[in-house]
Amino acid sequence: MSLLWTSRAMIDAMGGRPVGQMPTGVSGITIDSRSVEKGSAFFAIKGDNFDGHDFASSAMASGAALVVVAESKLPALGKLTMPMIVVPDVLKALEHLGVASRARSNAQIIAVTGSAGKTTTKEALRRVLSVCGTVHASAASFNNHWGVPLSLARMPEDTDYGVFEIGMNHPDEIRPLVKLVRPHIAIITIIAAAHLGHFKNLDQIALAKAEIFEGVVEGGHAVLNRDDSRYRKLALLAKDAGIVNIHGFGEHRQATYKLLKYRPMADCSVITAQIAGMDVAVKIGAPGRHIVQNALAVMGASSLAGADLAKVCLALGTLQSEKGRGRRHKLKVNGGTFTLIDESYNANPASMAAALQLAGSIPVEGRGRRIAVLGDMLELGKHSKKLHVELAEPIKSSNMDKVFLAGPEMKVLADALASDIEREYRPSVDELKAAVAATIRPGDVVVVKSSNGIGFSKLVEHLLKQFPPVMPAQEPA
């Protein structure tokens, strides 16, 4: 068994107290007793809904080598006999272990934030850098106060490249996390109206995202969207944080990583870009203009990290959309087929427009139509009504033939859509399932998009059960 941490190193890093017969070390770390693997360490974190201490014995029964518990919880654990590291605060102990992990690592560290495209960019970096060395990247969207230290603590000592996603929905959330990660390269994908309910305007969102600069190591780099209207503001904030090396990506003539030519295709994009002073022709396996923008950041950051650019460009051709983030399914219906685009994981005005634009670029077949199935965009606060109404324009410009809407926030869009666009509104996603399934016919292109909390993934699952696949869905390698 390969050890991620020795018990001694964990105890020293966390300032913990060993209880019981300690194993030599652990092969992994988890905070979820359901995902315990033999030989791993279980951190009994107290969350909003559950307390990990209640599952300590279950974790041990599943093969955990040791558990990390809080001193105050020892009496409640009774007479359980298991190897434990006792600490004052379990989450703080995980942070300390994350700091130790970063300190022992010689990896090139990249941190990614932004209002949209964080996970897509992180996963693209994971894929392309893996052809150049060993990569450790955040699992799923582990980008918050427990996800970031957990991802750090899981990083093997011999990692060549570390990629960490950092999210936020309030000010002062990124600051403490990026100081754990201490990246060599910080990427901000785009500033858009996500979580606007917690901010007065986009400038405040930009200011919160710019907290990522405060953790960048001396001599490090900022990689910013040169096409973003808040580029100059972010560049100034990066300079104020002491970052000298500031790079832009996009179509702007002053972009460091510049898009020169863009050819959209049904299932990919072919581009010419200028990266590190060289013109490169690249096929990007996942389609969409927004994916191209992310790919420019990926190529730029990879180059800064010392990766082989030729290998990186080739690897971009293998990109595939993630579940809920643009994954495509070709499904059978009434003797023909239709295309389902699953964008059900998250939504804000920028990503909504990008998903609609992508669906609008896909040719329909025969009597097929373009159909948008849209749910509420959450956390927009007092701006919600206005931003939902404004979706009428991208719906029109992407040539949608029919629109299905669900959720209380989407009611205003149903009322605002032009009379020449066929639309149906239902209060909830459950009421929408049958209506969507009944309307689909051969040749259709159907895009499903909403914030994750609305539950549109259930609608996607319903369609996948109703209609058999022509071929297996795109799966990440």
Side-chain angles (χ1 to χ4, degrees), residues 31 43 45-50 89-99 138-139 141-153 164-181 211:
I31 62 172
F43 280 66
I45 287 175
K46 187 180 186 310
D48 294 332
N49 301 313
F50 299 101
D89 183 291
V90 179
L91 181 56
K92 284 292 182 185
L94 185 61
E95 291 175 3
H96 293 322
L97 193 61
V99 168
S138 307
S141 291
F142 283 13
N143 62 18
N144 62 3
H145 65 288
W146 58 260
V148 172
L150 176 61
S151 297
L152 263 176
F164 299 91
E165 179 181 338
I166 304 181
M168 66 92 197
N169 56 21
H170 289 87
D172 301 316
E173 283 189 79
I174 290 177
R175 180 173 290 115
L177 299 179
V178 76
K179 289 179 179 178
L180 300 177
V181 174
E211 292 173 17

Side-chain angles (χ1 to χ4, degrees), residues 205-269:
I205 292 178
L207 194 63
K209 295 293 184 185
E211 292 173 17
I212 197 171
F213 302 141
E214 297 176 29
V216 174
V217 300
E218 186 176 354
H221 304 263
V223 178
L224 310 175
N225 190 330
R226 196 65 180 81
D227 300 332
D228 193 324
S229 61
R230 282 161 181 81
Y231 169 82
R232 291 189 183 281
K233 181 180 184 68
L234 290 173
L236 285 171
L237 290 167
K239 287 179 182 177
D240 290 345
I243 299 176
V244 176
N245 306 304
I246 299 170
H247 316 269
F249 62 91
E251 290 185 84
H252 194 283
R253 60 186 178 83
Q254 293 181 316
T256 315
Y257 312 116
K258 188 187 307 182
L259 180 64
L260 303 176
K261 295 179 183 178
Y262 166 51
R263 183 184 172 198
M265 302 179 77
D267 58 356
C268 66
S269 296

Side-chain angles (χ1 to χ4, degrees), residues 383-464:
H383 307 276
S384 182
K385 180 177 179 179
K386 175 177 179 288
L387 293 172
H388 279 83
V389 167
E390 287 178 353
L391 291 177
E393 177 52 39
I395 287 172
K396 181 180 179 181
S397 63
S398 58
N399 298 313
M400 291 295 119
D401 298 296
K402 184 162 186 171
V403 180
F404 288 93
L405 304 169
E409 302 293 328
M410 275 294 173
K411 183 66 170 66
V412 292
L413 177 59
D415 297 335
L417 284 173
S419 58
D420 60 341
I421 298 178
E422 188 179 352
R423 73 260 200 205
E424 291 189 38
Y425 171 79
R426 300 287 189 278
S428 72
V429 64
D430 288 334
E431 297 170 84
L432 203 61
K433 289 177 185 176
V436 174
T439 200
I440 293 172
R441 67 191 188 202
D444 285 348
V445 173
V446 182
V447 58
V448 180
K449 181 77 172 169
S450 75
S451 285
N452 193 35
I454 301 302
F456 266 45
S457 59
K458 293 185 293 184
L459 190 149
V460 171
E461 290 167 6
H462 178 73
L463 295 178
L464 293 176

